[in-house]
Amino acid sequence: PTDAAEVEAAARLEDAVSSVALVEEESVEESATSASEEGEVGYAEDDYDEDHDEYDSEEDEEEERVLFDLSTMQDVPRAIPLPQRLHVPVLDIKSAEEVGTFHLSPQTFGCSPVRVDILQRCVVWQRNKKRGRRNPGAITKTINTKRGSGRKVRPQKGGGQARAGHRRPPHWRGGAKAHGPKGKVQDYTTKLNKKVRKMGVRHALSQKLLEGNLIITSDLASPSHKTRVLNEMLGRFDVGKGADSALFIDDAKLEDAEDESTVYGGVDVNLRVASGNIQRIKVLNQMACNVYDMLKYKKLFLSLSAVASLEQRLEKDLK
């Protein structure tokens, strides 16, 4: 029995030794194959780096050769120069189609450069004029006029409280009013010469023409007083609710109208009534044309009669 056990143990030992040898051979083969793969990869990477460097050098040479390419340059919008800018098309308000051309006066619509300081002075003058004069009847009581004793309320020192001389200070309950109205007229209006105001209107008109937001129409007569009809007309100009704001300036005359009831205050009645329910739309007569409204609204619509009246009125002092 002992001999059989020894023989069995020896067989197990030989099997273990052979398995260890096989494992070592497999590990050696794997390391060799991995080393060969790494060598190939490294060779490929070296080749790629060289090719990449050559590609970069070619790009640098191309960039050095082509300093500026006009074909890739973005188109920058530019204003039409003077005097070509003064030659404008005349559109039909109902169909937005061109019905002719018109040459504007360079003295009214061709001011260059546009004086921003004059526009600012006109806007400040208009805002101050709208603020106007305040009610002169308001008056508040001061310490001198407030009822109360002049006796000292508490001792000057020793109480641990603030000093108090009487019961009428403004920060006390039932006291006087500090810096209240004195019953005088509060006038916020300022002075601006009439010639400067006219100059501001001329420069505002020139700015609208420079921007391309000036639209000249044959007339500003609406065929109906319905808001829907006017909305359809203005939609062709991208004006109205959800679109650009617009200021309409007209100078309609009774003698030119077919019916006297269609004109009131120098403006077409249908246009005034229909525009009342449309947001960001304002209709004025040419006598009410002002700098503040022209800068507030994006597009400016002028009828031919309004253009003639504005040129005649604004150029009177220049002659």
Side-chain angles (χ1 to χ4, degrees), residues 227-255:
T227 305
R228 176 180 54 82
V229 177
L230 184 60
N231 261 329
E232 294 176 357
M233 293 167 50
L234 299 183
R236 303 183 181 97
F237 297 95
D238 294 332
V239 172
K241 185 177 180 180
D244 296 335
S245 59
L247 175 65
F248 294 83
I249 297 179
D250 195 7
D251 191 26
K253 296 179 174 58
L254 293 175
E255 55 270 17

Side-chain angles (χ1 to χ4, degrees), residues 40-308:
E40 293 176 358
V41 171
Y43 181 75
E45 289 179 352
D46 294 341
D47 293 343
Y48 175 76
D49 291 338
E50 293 177 0
D51 297 339
H52 192 65
D53 293 337
E54 293 177 359
Y55 183 73
D56 289 342
S57 62
E58 291 177 0
E59 284 186 348
D60 295 339
E61 291 177 0
E62 290 181 357
E63 289 179 357
E64 291 177 359
R65 288 196 300 268
V66 182
L67 298 178
F68 186 74
D69 190 3
L70 292 176
S71 61
T72 60
M73 180 181 176
Q74 295 182 355
D75 188 13
V76 180
R78 291 182 173 84
I80 302 174
L82 291 172
Q84 293 84 356
R85 190 193 310 163
L86 300 174
H87 195 71
V88 295
V90 179
L91 306 180
D92 184 16
I93 189 66
K94 302 177 183 64
S95 61
E97 296 179 356
E98 184 176 346
V99 295
T101 56
F102 188 78
H103 193 79
L104 300 173
S105 173
Q107 295 178 332
T108 303
F109 295 90
C111 299
S112 182
V114 177
R115 293 283 301 274
V116 183
D117 57 329
I118 298 296
L119 300 180
Q120 188 267 347
R121 290 176 62 185
C122 293
V123 170
V124 170
W125 172 78
Q126 281 188 247
R127 290 173 62 88
N128 291 340
K129 187 176 180 62
K130 187 175 181 180
R131 193 177 183 186
R133 298 159 63 94
R134 296 300 175 90
N135 182 17
I139 186 172
T140 55
K141 291 186 177 182
T142 60
I143 292 177
N144 294 331
T145 57
K146 188 69 178 177
R147 181 187 177 192
S149 173
R151 183 180 66 87
K152 190 170 179 62
V153 179
R154 52 177 174 260
Q156 180 80 357
K157 302 172 70 64
Q161 292 177 297
R163 295 171 291 187
H166 52 80
R167 295 183 179 272
R168 296 167 294 165
H171 61 285
W172 278 32
R173 178 178 176 272
K177 177 67 176 177
H179 310 294
K182 306 297 190 297
K184 299 179 181 178
V185 176
Q186 299 179 4
D187 190 3
Y188 296 97
T189 59
T190 55
K191 181 180 180 297
L192 189 65
N193 293 337
K194 187 181 293 185
K195 290 185 178 180
V196 179
R197 281 180 265 162
K198 289 185 177 181
M199 183 180 180
V201 175
R202 291 196 298 268
H203 281 266
L205 293 172
S206 302
Q207 177 63 26
K208 284 297 178 182
L209 180 61
L210 178 64
E211 295 172 357
N213 291 326
L214 180 63
I215 301 173
I216 306 298
T217 61
S218 56
D219 59 1
L220 290 177
S222 177
S224 174
H225 67 281
K226 295 291 185 179
T227 305
R228 176 180 54 82
V229 177
L230 184 60
N231 261 329
E232 294 176 357
M233 293 167 50
L234 299 183
R236 303 183 181 97
F237 297 95
D238 294 332
V239 172
K241 185 177 180 180
D244 296 335
S245 59
L247 175 65
F248 294 83
I249 297 179
D250 195 7
D251 191 26
K253 296 179 174 58
L254 293 175
E255 55 270 17
D256 298 336
E258 297 178 358
D259 188 2
E260 294 183 356
S261 60
T262 59
V263 176
Y264 180 77
V267 177
D268 183 69
V269 174
N270 289 337
L271 179 64
R272 184 184 293 275
V273 174
S275 63
N277 293 329
I278 303 178
Q279 298 178 356
R280 307 172 68 187
I281 296 295
K282 191 172 184 178
V283 180
L284 295 175
N285 180 260
Q286 62 90 16
M287 291 299 296
C289 180
N290 59 88
V291 176
Y292 182 82
D293 285 332
M294 282 191 285
L295 297 181
K296 179 180 178 181
Y297 296 90
K298 184 174 182 180
K299 292 186 178 180
L300 177 62
F301 286 77
L302 292 178
S303 63
L304 289 177
S305 58
V307 171

